[in-house]
């Protein structure tokens, strides 16, 4: 081959490997994604990420190849001074003479292949690159190096990438140079060992010096890494890290630089022993300084006096962990937990009690599946809780969309899956606490087409985008789309929205054919130029594909807008693993914010991103990197804004962290004197942490009216009594505020497991549950809910009865209520509250609130005239009768039949007095 053509051939090969090969392997995906991002209106995200990937791939790949090529060029020039065929004591490789050219090409080919791998690896670090170029300022500084936290969140990750890139480059340069010298001369293998020519030695020594300079840079990065050390009592730099490891690293930094200088000097002088001595000394000091010495300090200095030595570092971990998880924004308040609720208090908190969730998600989902799926290809995947104003009343509801599962179609042909059965239809919605006479949930929206008995209407029930992982589909085709079943017939429709990618002409169809590997896309006569292709139809995949730099809560939920259209609401997190001193969370990092709310139209797939927390430094950076993508929360439509809620995933993480980091005194935290845990429940299985749950209630001494909250109770770490409960507020203007209500430590407040134990020990309840569990029936214990009312606590647990056989419908049979020393199981929540508090209680949505003291009650139109209040003597007799009745039941459970008879006699006497008193009135 002519020599003047070799550089051009090599350049062409480099371009092929770094440019053409990635396009050939990913080109179809890139083009389809470009069309999709463009149709969704987010070209800026696609182009910004693509440009950054090309830039990183180019700089990393070409930079690596350029440095490695220059290194090989220098090695070849130096090797020409020496032939590999040397006589005397040198071992010859006569066969190599015939393969010199092949070995050269093997070396170059290896460099190019490694360069391709480096370019692909560099491309994957596009996010660190963009963040390093667009950092946000953070006022807080770390206490060890006094650097702004922005350096750790934005600069340090990319610095580690640069280090690894340089390390790979230098190692490959060293190895390839040695191999080239072995092939072309400069390094020989003799019976006495390897012999290195002076020029080759100088070259290799320079490379060694560069590696040790890089090691010095690595040591410097390791100093910053001490802020993420897991060695101490808590995460972050501890006493040993600061007083033993840090000085050792500082010494290693100096020695690494000195070693590099020795290598450079000996490259000129031609000696190798001083460099070997320097390397040996560096290794010994590294082992002693980073392993042995810190262990000695930890065992003999820190361990005997750990709290005194670690106290300032524990304080750092507390401060930074609370800031990283937003715990420093929590407000802690006292909750007296008295047992002084009266009947009037219960009536005053009717809005709270009528929103107690009596329908758990699992039995409710089973009921939806049995009664409302209608056809086998429909599926209710999840149930979510939300709140709506229904006929003027603020109600908590359970909602589940009816999605289409293409995998459940009776005939899974390509036309059925991708042209005909394209969307789900409607949803089920009902109050969380209402039940029919058959023990089934009362539904306000049900059936196909959706039928509503409330003020909420669904006008666009088609669900093209949902939680199920359905594949692509084509709409606006010649084939009619199945809309919904109607008796023995089907109703068909044609898509009228703007969602999806326009199909256009032949070349796009050919592209889609290549993307999905389906020839029908190209040859189907049903697909026309005006047709549209819908891809990424699973809402989590859709949002994640648009914004791969955000993390998403696993529980999207559906919202009904005022105009009757359906939207998905998603919670997006910004997260990082580079927040100093902050305790990490598995699969999430050690910094997290729910800074973005996402809405997705279930019909068109249109996606919008709204910033909830503009103070988050990461979302500030993303807004600069991707201009125009994020909108302020005020831009969200008011009807959707009313349904944002605090995400359960973030709340669970914060609750887990707060159980430890509510202790702000380092000494108290070190001794774990007040360690909490999320309250445990053992209903239906082994003990496990309670799942946070939504509720509508009025917060004691804080709220002025009922509001939608997310809450979870706490217990001490080794006890079951309740110590606190945490609530996240979801309604404006208090959205995102988290309150922690702590109980007096000297007061015993039953925890969920203790209440469950009291339920299990009640003979009447236990006997009834045993009876129901026989004869092919199964008792399902619902979630025990802690319901704070004013400064007291109620416990409510629903009971469901279901047949053991398949196709069973769980029925809400009883409601257990515990308060003070009362544990009652009744037909309804109203019945239980009535018996406990000695007067009629109604939690129905239409029931009027109790009148405020001093206020005149106005009867509703057509309502009967309200009864006059009972005289004081009558009230006393009613309470006395209730006490005798409760006492009789208690004696009956204990088997004291003589006492039971006495209490029944007393009850009869009291009732006669009551009748006589009423007659006198």
């Amino acid at each position: 081959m002519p020599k003047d053509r070799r550089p051009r051939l090599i350049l062409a090969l480099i371009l092929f490997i770094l440019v053409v090969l990635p396009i050939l392997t990913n080109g179809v995906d890139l083009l389809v994604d470009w069309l999709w991002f463009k149709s969704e209106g987010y070209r800026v995200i696609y182009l910004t990420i693509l440009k950054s990937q090309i830039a990183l791939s180019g700089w990393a790949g070409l930079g690596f190849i350029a440095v490695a090529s220059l290194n090989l060029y220098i090695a070849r020039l130096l090797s020409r001074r020496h032939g590999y065929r040397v006589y005397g004591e040198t071992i010859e490789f006569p066969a190599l003479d015939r393969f010199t050219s092949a070995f050269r090409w093997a070396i170059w080919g290896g460099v190019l292949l490694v360069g391709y791998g480096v370019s692909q690896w560099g491309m994957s670090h596009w996010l660190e690159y963009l963040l390093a170029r667009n950092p946000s300022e953070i006022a807080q500084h770390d206490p060890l190096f006094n650097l702004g936290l922005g350096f750790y969140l934005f600069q340090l990750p990319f610095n580690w990438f640069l280090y690894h890139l340089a390390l790979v480059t230098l190692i490959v340069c060293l190895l390839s140079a040695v191999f080239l010298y072995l092939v072309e001369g400069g390094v020989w293998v003799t019976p006495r060992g390897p012999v290195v020519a002076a020029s080759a030695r100088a070259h290799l020594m320079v490379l060694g010096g560069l590696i040790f300079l890089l090691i010095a840079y690595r040591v410097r990065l390791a100093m910053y890494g001490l802020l993420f050390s897991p060695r101490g009592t808590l995460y972050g730099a501890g006493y040993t890290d600061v007083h033993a490891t840090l000085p050792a690293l500082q010494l290693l930094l100096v020695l690494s630089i000195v070693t590099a200088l020795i290598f450079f000097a000996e490259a000129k002088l031609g000696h190798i022993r001083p460099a070997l001595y320097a390397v040996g000394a560096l290794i010994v000091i590294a082992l002693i300084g980073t392993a042995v010495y810190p262990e000695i300090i930890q065992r003999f200095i820190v361990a005997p006096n750990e709290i005194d030595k670690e106290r300032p570092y524990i304080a750092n971990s507390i401060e930074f962990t609370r800031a990283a998880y937003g715990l420093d924004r929590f407000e802690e308040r006292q909750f007296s937990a008295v047992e002084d609720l009266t009947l009037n208090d219960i009536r005053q908190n009717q809005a709270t009690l009528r929103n107690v969730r009596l329908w758990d998600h699992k039995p409710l989902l089973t009921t939806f599946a049995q009664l409302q799926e209608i056809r086998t290809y429909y599926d209710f995947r999840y149930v979510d809780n939300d709140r709506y104003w229904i006929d003027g009343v603020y109600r908590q509801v359970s909602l589940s969309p009816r999605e289409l599962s293409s995998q459940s179609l009776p005939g899974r042909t390509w036309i059925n899956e991708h042209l005909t059965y394209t969307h789900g239809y409607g949803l089920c919605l009902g109050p969380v606490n209402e039940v029919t006479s058959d023990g089934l949930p009362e539904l306000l929206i049900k059936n196909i087409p959706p039928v509503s008995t409330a003020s909420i209407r669904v006008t666009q029930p088609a669900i093209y985008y949902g939680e199920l992982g359905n594949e692509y589909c084509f709409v606006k085709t010649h084939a009619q789309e199945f809309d919904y079943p109607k008796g023995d017939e089907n109703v068909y429709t044609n898509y009228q929205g703007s969602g999806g990618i326009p199909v256009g002409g032949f070349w796009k169809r050919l592209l889609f054919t290549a993307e999905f590997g389906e020839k029908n896309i190209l040859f189907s006569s049903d697909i026309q130029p005006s047709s549209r292709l819908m891809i990424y139809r699973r809402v989590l995949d859709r949002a994640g594909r648009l914004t791969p730099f955000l993390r998403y809560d696993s529980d999207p939920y559906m919202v009904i807008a005022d105009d009757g259209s359906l939207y998905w609401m998603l919670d997006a997190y910004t997260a990082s693993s580079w927040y100093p001193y902050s305790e990490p969370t598995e699969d999430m990092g050690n910094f997290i914010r729910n800074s973005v709310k996402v809405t997705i139209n279930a019909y068109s797939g249109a996606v919008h991103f709204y910033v909830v927390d503009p103070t988050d430094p990461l979302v500030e950076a993303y807004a600069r990197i991707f201009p125009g993508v994020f909108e302020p929360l005020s831009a969200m439509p008011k009807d959707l804004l009313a349904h944002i809620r605090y995400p359960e995933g973030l709340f669970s993480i914060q609750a887990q962290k707060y159980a430890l980091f509510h202790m702000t005194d380092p000494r108290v935290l070190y001794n774990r004197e007040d360690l909490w845990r999320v309250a445990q429940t053992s209903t239906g299985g082994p003990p496990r942490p309670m799942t946070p749950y939504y509720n509508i209630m009025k917060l004691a001494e804080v709220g002025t009216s009922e509001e939608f909250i997310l809450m979870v109770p706490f217990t001490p770490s080794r006890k079951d009594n309740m110590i606190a409960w945490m609530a996240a507020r979801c309604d404006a203007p208090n959205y995102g505020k988290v309150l922690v209500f702590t109980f007096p430590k000297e007061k015993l407040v039953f925890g969920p497991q203790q209440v469950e134990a009291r339920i299990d020990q009640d003979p009447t309840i236990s006997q009834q549950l045993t009876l129901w569990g026989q004869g092919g029936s199964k008792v399902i214990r619902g979630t025990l809910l802690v319901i704070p009312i004013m400064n007291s606590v109620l416990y409510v647990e629903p009971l469901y009865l279901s047949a053991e056989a398949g196709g069973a419908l769980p029925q809400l049979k009883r409601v257990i209520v515990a308060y003070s020393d009362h544990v009652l199981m009744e037909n309804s929540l109203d019945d239980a509250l009535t018996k406990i508090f000695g007067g009629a209680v109604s939690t129905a949505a239409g029931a009027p609130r109790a009148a405020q003291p001093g206020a005149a009650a106005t009867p509703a139109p057509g309502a009967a005239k309200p009864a006059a209040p009972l005289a004081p003597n009558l009230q006393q007799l009613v309470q006395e009768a209730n006490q005798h009745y409760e006492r009789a039941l208690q004696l009956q459970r204990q088997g004291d039949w003589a006492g039971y008879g006495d209490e029944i006699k007393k009850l009869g006497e009291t009732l006669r007095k009551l009748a006589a008193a009423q007659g006198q009135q």
Side-chain angles (χ1 to χ4, degrees), residues 847-886:
R849 286 176 183 253
Q852 298 291 333
T858 303
K865 182 179 179 180
L870 293 176
N873 62 325
L874 293 181
Q875 290 182 348
Q876 182 177 356
L877 289 172
V878 169
Q879 293 176 358
E880 184 178 338
N882 186 65
Q883 290 172 357
H884 288 307
Y885 174 74
E886 294 292 341

Side-chain angles (χ1 to χ4, degrees), residues 707-730:
E707 56 185 296
F708 193 59
I709 66 164
L710 177 63
M711 67 167 291
V712 73
F714 291 99
T715 64
S717 63
R718 298 182 182 275
K719 296 183 179 180
D720 293 326
N721 60 288
M722 197 156 57
I723 193 69
W725 59 281
M726 188 166 85
R729 307 173 82 173
C730 300

Side-chain angles (χ1 to χ4, degrees), residues 776-795:
S777 296
K778 179 175 65 175
V779 177
I780 302 173
R781 297 272 296 267
T783 302
L784 179 72
L785 301 179
V786 178
I787 309 296
I789 295 181
M790 301 179 69
N791 281 302
S792 300
V793 178
L794 283 176
Y795 306 86

Side-chain angles (χ1 to χ4, degrees), residues 140 235 317-330 551 574-594 613 646 649-659 661 726 736 738:
Q140 190 176 17
Y235 200 71
S317 184
I318 293 173
E319 177 188 356
F320 282 80
T321 300
R322 286 172 62 90
Y325 290 95
L327 308 184
D328 55 349
R329 306 178 184 182
F330 290 9
R551 302 188 186 185
T574 57
S576 175
S577 300
W578 297 93
Y579 201 90
Y581 287 97
S582 175
E583 287 279 341
T585 298
E586 187 177 359
D587 298 327
M588 188 57 72
N590 62 1
F591 174 89
I592 182 172
R593 290 286 187 274
N594 173 221
D613 184 4
Y646 206 90
L650 174 62
F651 188 78
S652 298
I653 292 173
Q654 290 177 319
Q656 179 189 15
K657 296 300 179 186
Y658 198 79
F661 288 98
M726 188 166 85
V738 180

Side-chain angles (χ1 to χ4, degrees), residues 133 173 188 195 217 270 279 339 369 417 458 539 618 628 645-646 676 694 696 706 729 801 829 864:
R133 292 190 59 186
C173 285
W188 305 276
V195 176
Y217 181 62
V279 172
E339 297 176 349
E417 289 191 43
V458 177
V539 290
L618 284 176
R645 66 184 194 185
Y646 206 90
W676 298 351
Y694 293 97
I696 289 180
E706 285 73 17
R729 307 173 82 173
L801 192 62
L829 178 61

